[in-house]
Structure formats: C-alpha cells, structure tokens
Amino acid sequence: INNDFLSKSNHPLAQKYDKPILENHHWAMTNELLIHPSMQCDILSGMNAAQKEEFLEIVHAAIMATDMAVHKTICERLETKAAQIDDMGLGEESTRGPGSFRVRKSVMPFNINDKEDRIFLVGAVVHTADLSAQGMTPEVAYAFGRGCLEEFHAQYLLEGEKGLEQSAFMKDLDQPVSQGKAQLSFIDFVLLPLWTAMRSFFPSVALPADRIAERLAEIDFDNIKEWGGLSTMLVDRPQKKPESEKIHINEKLGTDMLEQGTKPAQPDAPALRLPDETKALP
C-alpha cells in the first residue's frame, strides 16, 4: 500500500506522521536505530556534534527523496544541471543501446563544497537507486515488475472493499493490455527521464539505462501475452466479485426460484450461496 491509501483510509500511520507518511515513518525508524542507546548500533560514535548533525540531515534528505511526489522536482533539477553542460559545449554523443544519450566525461556541475548540492545529489542518487529494478537483468526486472503489478492490483481491490476512491492507474491490472500500458507509462514517463539525466553525470550507469530502454521496447501489444513482464498469476486468477454483483446474483436467484415455485430461504435460514460463487471466493 502507498501513501495515498494510508491517507484516505486514515491508517494509524497517517494519524501518527505528517506527509509523506511512509517516508516519515522510515526516517523515524532510521533515526531511532542510529541514535537510540538501546539499539547498540551507534555508527556515529566517532563523529563530533556538527558532523552527526550534517550526517543525519543527509540521511533524512535521502529518505525523503524516495517519495514519488518529489520525482518531478528531482528530474527537473537534474535536467537543468545537464543543460548547463550543454550550454558550455561539453560532452559527447553516444548511440549505445536503443536510444541516443549524451555522455559527459569528468564533468560534474555540482559543487562538492556546496552543502545544498551535496544533499540534493545524495537524494537524487538514492531516488534513482530506488527505481533501479528495470535496469537490472531481464529476469530480475520482470520479476520485480510483476510483483509491483500484483501489489497494485491487491491495493485496488482493497480500496474497493473499504469503499475508498480507487486508484485509476491500478485499475484492470488483471488484464494483459492494462499491465502493458501501466509498465510502458512507468518506464517512458518516470524511469527514462530520471535515468537519462543521471547518465549525463555518471557514464557508469549507461548499462542499466540501456536495459530500461530495452524493457520499454519489448512491450508489444500485438503479442502482449508473450511479454516477459506479464503477471499471468493475475490474468489466470479467479476474480473476486464486488459485493454489489454478488447481491445482484442472489436477488436474481431468489426471483428465479419464485418463478419455478421453489420456496426461497427464510430470514432465519443460512444465507443462500451459489456453489460456483463460493468457489470463486478466496
């Protein structure tokens, strides 16, 4: 489940932490691990007070950077820095892989002596690492992608069960085409802008950046059932019917029974359940 679900369901974590909920929870747990004496893992013992303060500030910023709400801001700032290099006429073109990217050698438009630059760059690197699964080997990328699709589908169903507004991008993920569209949009609009920008400053990320572009090119809607990232578990799983549909089925069964002269179940009798419906329920 994500921050949106925690917020609209008024989850205990949402009552405890400000937004972003999960990231503030992660920071609270990390901070406790680092500084609470009972944890016995004080890796900061060799630092003075000023060094500890700066270290914790950087760790906090890195954790906050994993919030997808700041993804656009991170990408825009990286792209602005990359444009500064373009304006200076530095860098060289590389056509390695399915896309064309500009690669810089030994050029870093961040000032190591600037605290703000250091903190931002750490956050950007952690954010990129947090979105690195599609840059790994195909087998790992597919498995991770399928896991995300399955988690999103489970959250969509849970939102419906709880009467919450359902997340539009999680809809119909039990359908192959919808899975392909979801992954295509994620790679095209989220991953590639970030990894292309990071590649501008760190040529060593060329391989995962190329792999991400390859995962995008593999999504063929004419042969979507052959796509390696397809979660067949969702497609093949018997789907749980919404409560409203089950009520409609039971009402129809009662009407059919009356028309056939069969006595329907009395109010104090066990609830009538269709055998096939029973099997479909988890």
Side-chain angles (χ1 to χ4, degrees), residues 1-2 130-134 140-156 169-170 173 179 182-183 186 191 229 231 233-234:
I1 55 178
N2 58 15
D130 196 34
L131 297 174
S132 63
Q134 296 307 304
V140 174
Y142 296 148
F144 201 96
R146 288 192 294 266
C148 288
L149 291 169
E150 289 156 13
E151 286 184 12
F152 288 160
H153 183 66
Q155 178 174 321
Y156 185 82
F169 75 94
M170 298 180 182
L173 292 180
Q179 290 187 31
Q183 190 70 332
F186 178 63
L191 296 186
S231 173
M233 184 179 78
L234 290 181

Side-chain angles (χ1 to χ4, degrees), residues 269-281:
L272 182 64
R273 302 177 72 183
L274 285 169
D276 289 344
E277 280 292 301
T278 302
K279 292 178 181 178
L281 296 173

Side-chain angles (χ1 to χ4, degrees), residues 209-224:
D210 284 340
R211 285 173 171 172
I212 290 170
E214 289 167 1
R215 299 292 80 75
L216 177 67
E218 289 170 353
I219 302 175
D220 178 6
F221 289 101
D222 290 332
N223 299 285
I224 195 63

